[in-house]
Amino acid sequence: MRAVAIKALQCGSIPQHIGLIMDGNRRYGRKVHVGNGKGYYLGYETLEEILAVCMEMGVKVVTVYAFSIENFKRPADQVETLMELAKTKLAELCEHSELVRQYGIGIRVLGDTSLLPEDVRQVIRKAVDLTKKNNRAILNMCFPYTSREELTMATRSLVSGIEAHDLNPRQVSDISTSVLEQSLYTRSCPPMDILIRTSGEIRLSDFMLWQSSRACHVEFVDCFWPEFTFWKLLPILLRYQLRAISIAQSRREYSRGEVAEDDVNGDEGVLLNTDIGNARQTALEQDQEMSRRNSSESTLMTSETDKTAGVESPCGLTLEKKQRVISFLHHRGYIPNCPIVHLQ
Amino acid sequence: MKTLVQVFFLPHLFPVAPELVRIVRKDVGTELAKKPTHLAVITQKSGITLTGEVDETEENEWHARVAQLAQWSSAVGIKTLSIMRNAPLDPEDLEALQDRIDHTMKDFYKEEKRVPIALVRTLCPVEESLSLVFKKNNSQATIQRDLRLHGGRAFDLDIVILSPEDGHDRLAGNVRLLGEAALRQQISSEQITTSFLDTQLSAELTEPELLIILKDDLDLSSYPPWHIRLTEIYHHPDQAVIPVYTMFLQALHRFAKCDQRFGK
């Protein structure tokens, strides 16, 4: 029955990236009288099922809100349970999971992992390392994550790149909206298509604010996460399919706006006369000078940039500008648990 | 089925958009446990398309909608109303909108002694926000902010008109601004923390507690992402059937009942 439904869905467009706020585990645990702790474990089982369904349909990226930085305020025993759950399940996923092996899922952990105990960090490093070559799908575990911390991290990272003269703030294309997007934890993931929150709450709670607030289908579902099944996901996917064309259209409009901004503003810093042709020439010369200055690194970059040609680059830019950004993301802008992958 | 019932049997139960403040106050009631101080609304569209074509009728309707929302918000005691539209508003249109709002507020409050002042603005360029982070005197910050927002004029309701450039693009512009400041050695990248960015980004716009989406789909339309961290998002899919006033009341009641745990 499920297979039939999936085949039917595949006649329409399948979302590339789904975000899940897995809310309501504790309330469900209390509802069925098994307690908060068991609620989390039941929640994990649901995650496995939904992940399997998504992979079967052809979804490329699943991003889940496993633990918020705000959740450290919870009682110590609950935090402890969550840490133990994370350690056990991450180890299972990277070593024994048939699902990960079958679909080539790369596991990434998004968030400020310096806030976690060392034993959990070790398990995370191992899980990411063991699966880093998997590039057919991605599972993003947000642990511990808040969207504001992500935006702050990306801003700080780009500004440090500017301080080190890896990037030029006068070149709009160096610090454009899409470059900021590529500096987030969700780099090398396609844009988020659907965001689902269970448990009936109607807010984002600091999850994927940037990714979900444009050209993304957001749904608030009135059931607890452990009660979420494929049959509850199905109508959401159908509603998404009705909107898929307008979502793609919005994305085209946003990126058109960005290219226009680049054309208009890119040469602002070096415009000395009103002749646009000359100004563009001067800008190009400046770019080349910048590349020559970084040339000691650029030979190393060349082979790597070939490999990472799949990184979503801002459209309409010259090769030098793209290389500057890509090289920054690989070096100064590198994030340990989010290796840049080229999704097949 | 539910929609059918709503269309054929319940229209007489939907309150019509009120023309006087006392009706809004009666409809809202006095039992709301909490009310938002900042209400955000994402409107369907304005009369200006992305290619720059202007449809006068639709633009006029949009102006009327904003004026209505201003009336209702001031009746409930909301201090800030932010409206997201699909294209930026020109300064001349901003003046025309202000006139429209002044006019409709006078009508709405004709039975009252005092007409609240509602002032409309768009966001200032991002460059002006950096200096605020360096001001240490936080106790004066709110007063100074209010004075700064509308050039020193007192107001009861602050209306901010936002467009898609104020969302993601503004954050990118902010990074460029901070980068240039770093090159001038005014700041260093290590100083950039969440609270630093929050002080800077909240200078022009506070966080809305409630967001109402007046579109057929739940589309956040590039509303400034930083600000909607904990915002309650109200949306009803039957936009063609349910009047905006009903959605406004329902959103307020829903907001009053919500329980924020803040991570705990």
Side-chain angles (χ1 to χ4, degrees):
Chain A
M1 212 28 235
R2 195 169 94 172
V4 171
I6 290 178
K7 276 274 179 283
L9 279 171
Q10 284 170 334
C11 296
S13 60
I14 296 292
Q16 294 293 285
H17 184 169
I18 296 184
L20 299 165
I21 302 180
M22 309 185 291
D23 196 17
N25 297 305
R26 290 182 296 172
R27 279 170 281 167
Y28 179 75
R30 289 196 289 271
K31 176 175 159 182
V32 297
H33 308 296
V34 298
N36 292 332
K38 185 83 171 124
Y40 292 134
Y41 279 83
L42 292 171
Y44 179 79
E45 281 168 22
T46 307
L47 170 60
E48 278 188 320
E49 282 167 29
I50 298 293
L51 183 61
V53 154
C54 289
M55 292 296 119
E56 210 179 314
M57 283 192 301
V59 177
K60 288 280 162 204
V61 182
V62 176
T63 301
V64 299
Y65 204 4
F67 192 88
S68 165
I69 294 177
E70 301 294 320
N71 291 154
F72 281 114
K73 294 181 202 160
R74 289 190 179 176
D77 58 324
Q78 287 186 24
V79 176
E80 180 62 37
T81 310
L82 283 165
M83 294 294 149
E84 281 308 312
L85 177 64
K87 273 190 348 204
T88 330
K89 296 304 175 184
L90 272 172
E92 246 178 59
L93 273 175
C94 65
E95 285 164 4
H96 309 299
S97 169
E98 181 56 31
L99 193 61
V100 168
R101 197 197 56 77
Q102 183 187 356
Y103 291 103
I105 304 177
I107 296 175
R108 291 144 107 252
V109 174
L110 315 191
D112 186 4
T113 48
S114 68
L115 298 171
L116 298 171
E118 177 55 33
D119 53 345
V120 181
R121 287 210 299 270
Q122 268 184 5
V123 175
I124 288 173
R125 275 195 291 270
K126 186 172 174 202
V128 171
D129 203 51
L130 280 179
T131 56
K132 68 177 179 223
K133 295 228 174 358
N134 295 352
N135 62 358
R136 284 186 285 136
I138 292 176
L139 170 63
N140 286 324
M141 307 273 292
C142 291
F143 192 102
Y145 173 92
T146 55
S147 197
R148 282 194 173 185
E149 190 276 321
E150 179 181 34
L151 286 165
T152 310
M153 178 279 302
T155 305
R156 194 170 42 231
S157 161
L158 285 169
V159 171
S160 75
I162 294 170
E163 279 176 334
H165 303 284
D166 289 345
L167 299 166
N168 181 358
R170 290 292 184 90
Q171 285 293 132
V172 171
S173 51
D174 268 11
I175 317 280
S176 62
T177 310
S178 52
V179 171
L180 183 51
E181 183 143 354
Q182 286 174 72
S183 307
L184 300 172
Y185 292 126
T186 48
R187 55 181 58 182
S188 60
C189 296
M192 189 172 278
D193 294 304
I194 306 182
L195 175 66
I196 299 169
R197 179 174 187 150
T198 54
S199 89
E201 304 290 353
I202 51 171
R203 52 184 179 262
L204 297 174
S205 296
D206 226 340
F207 182 68
M208 300 281 145
L209 300 175
W210 172 285
Q211 293 84 341
S212 64
S213 55
R214 64 176 182 177
C216 175
H217 180 75
V218 179
E219 286 249 2
F220 297 112
V221 181
D222 200 5
C223 72
F224 297 126
W225 172 251
E227 294 168 333
F228 192 69
T229 60
F230 169 73
W231 301 107
K232 294 205 164 76
L233 178 59
L234 180 58
I236 298 175
L237 292 167
L238 288 170
R239 283 193 285 272
Y240 164 76
Q241 290 189 331
L242 290 173
R243 259 187 87 182
I245 295 177
S246 76
I247 285 177
Q249 168 78 358
S250 307
R251 285 197 189 133
R252 275 197 296 275
E253 278 161 4
Y254 287 126
S255 57
R256 244 204 311 269
E258 199 178 311
V259 171
E261 185 190 86
D262 197 33
D263 284 343
V264 168
N265 293 327
D267 308 324
E268 220 170 38
V270 298
L271 204 62
L272 296 170
N273 53 45
T274 52
D275 186 333
I276 305 292
N278 278 355
R280 284 237 155 93
Q281 184 65 18
T282 326
L284 197 57
E285 278 165 27
Q286 283 225 337
D287 281 349
Q288 284 165 349
E289 179 55 49
M290 195 75 115
S291 314
R292 271 197 292 278
R293 244 182 268 149
N294 297 332
S295 63
S296 55
E297 291 176 277
S298 63
T299 43
L300 284 170
M301 290 308 99
T302 329
S303 52
E304 276 178 294
T305 50
D306 285 345
K307 269 189 245 156
T308 60
V311 169
E312 190 75 4
S313 310
C315 47
L317 297 184
T318 61
L319 192 57
E320 291 88 15
K321 291 179 190 174
K322 275 189 214 169
Q323 278 184 345
R324 208 159 50 227
V325 170
I326 291 172
S327 129
F328 166 76
L329 291 172
H330 274 272
H331 291 83
R332 199 173 299 274
Y334 181 72
I335 303 175
N337 296 314
C338 308
I340 294 178
V341 297
H342 173 195
L343 268 183
Q344 278 181 6
Chain B
M1 185 60 210
K2 192 168 134 196
T3 313
L4 223 56
V5 168
Q6 283 171 339
V7 169
F8 289 108
F9 297 106
L10 298 183
H12 66 283
L13 289 180
F14 286 155
V16 174
E19 291 179 8
L20 293 172
V21 61
R22 63 175 163 80
I23 301 175
V24 176
R25 289 196 182 130
K26 187 173 75 70
D27 287 333
V28 168
T30 46
E31 283 138 23
L32 287 182
K34 52 183 177 158
K35 290 184 217 170
T37 46
H38 178 170
L39 170 68
V41 180
I42 297 180
T43 50
Q44 173 76 315
K45 53 189 169 192
S46 57
I48 304 180
T49 64
L50 286 162
T51 45
E53 289 156 29
V54 181
D55 179 339
E56 292 287 347
T57 328
E58 275 193 24
E59 187 67 3
N60 201 32
E61 270 175 33
W62 184 84
H63 280 240
R65 172 71 67 223
V66 173
Q68 250 185 353
L69 288 165
Q71 287 173 341
W72 305 338
S73 307
S74 64
V76 173
I78 289 168
K79 295 274 174 272
T80 310
L81 172 66
S82 56
I83 315 261
M84 179 63 146
R85 54 183 261 143
N86 67 334
L89 195 63
D90 290 331
E92 311 86 64
D93 292 335
L94 191 68
E95 275 178 35
L97 180 61
Q98 180 68 70
D99 287 337
R100 181 81 170 254
I101 290 171
D102 291 337
H103 190 71
T104 50
M105 289 290 271
K106 265 211 210 80
D107 266 342
F108 197 65
Y109 280 87
K110 62 182 177 229
E111 288 179 359
E112 308 287 310
K113 289 196 197 90
R114 188 183 161 269
V115 180
I117 303 167
L119 295 179
V120 71
R121 63 182 171 99
T122 50
L123 294 183
C124 287
V126 70
E127 287 77 17
E128 297 179 24
S129 59
L130 193 55
S131 53
L132 289 152
V133 190
F134 300 129
K135 285 205 168 76
K136 306 275 188 224
N137 196 347
N138 283 321
S139 59
Q140 300 246 325
T142 325
I143 308 161
Q144 284 177 348
R145 183 178 167 274
D146 284 353
L147 286 175
R148 184 177 36 86
L149 289 179
H150 289 285
R153 291 175 292 163
F155 56 89
D156 299 292
L157 174 64
D158 174 27
I159 307 175
V160 193
I161 308 294
L162 300 167
S163 63
E165 289 90 52
D166 295 320
H168 297 68
D169 298 334
R170 193 175 171 91
L171 281 174
N174 195 49
V175 177
R176 287 196 287 277
L177 175 76
L178 291 174
E180 301 219 18
L183 287 178
R184 288 192 300 268
Q185 322 251 293
Q186 283 178 305
I187 58 162
S188 80
S189 55
E190 280 112 36
Q191 280 177 275
I192 299 174
T193 58
T194 312
S195 61
F196 178 99
L197 278 182
D198 197 29
T199 312
Q200 201 202 350
L201 295 168
S202 306
E204 287 285 305
L205 184 70
T206 54
E207 280 181 51
E209 287 108 332
L210 175 60
L211 167 65
I212 301 177
I213 301 182
L214 298 180
K215 283 183 150 184
D216 296 318
D217 301 311
L218 210 174
D219 173 16
L220 293 165
S221 313
S222 199
Y223 190 95
W226 184 271
H227 297 78
I228 49 171
R229 173 175 68 124
L230 298 172
T231 309
E232 296 287 311
I233 300 170
Y234 181 85
H235 173 255
H236 200 294
D238 294 330
Q239 295 278 326
V241 175
I242 314 284
V244 176
Y245 183 58
T246 308
M247 282 194 277
F248 175 79
L249 295 175
Q250 284 182 351
L252 285 177
H253 281 98
R254 182 81 195 258
F255 177 76
K257 283 195 290 209
C258 76
D259 170 31
Q260 286 261 13
R261 291 179 298 277
F262 298 106
K264 295 209 239 321

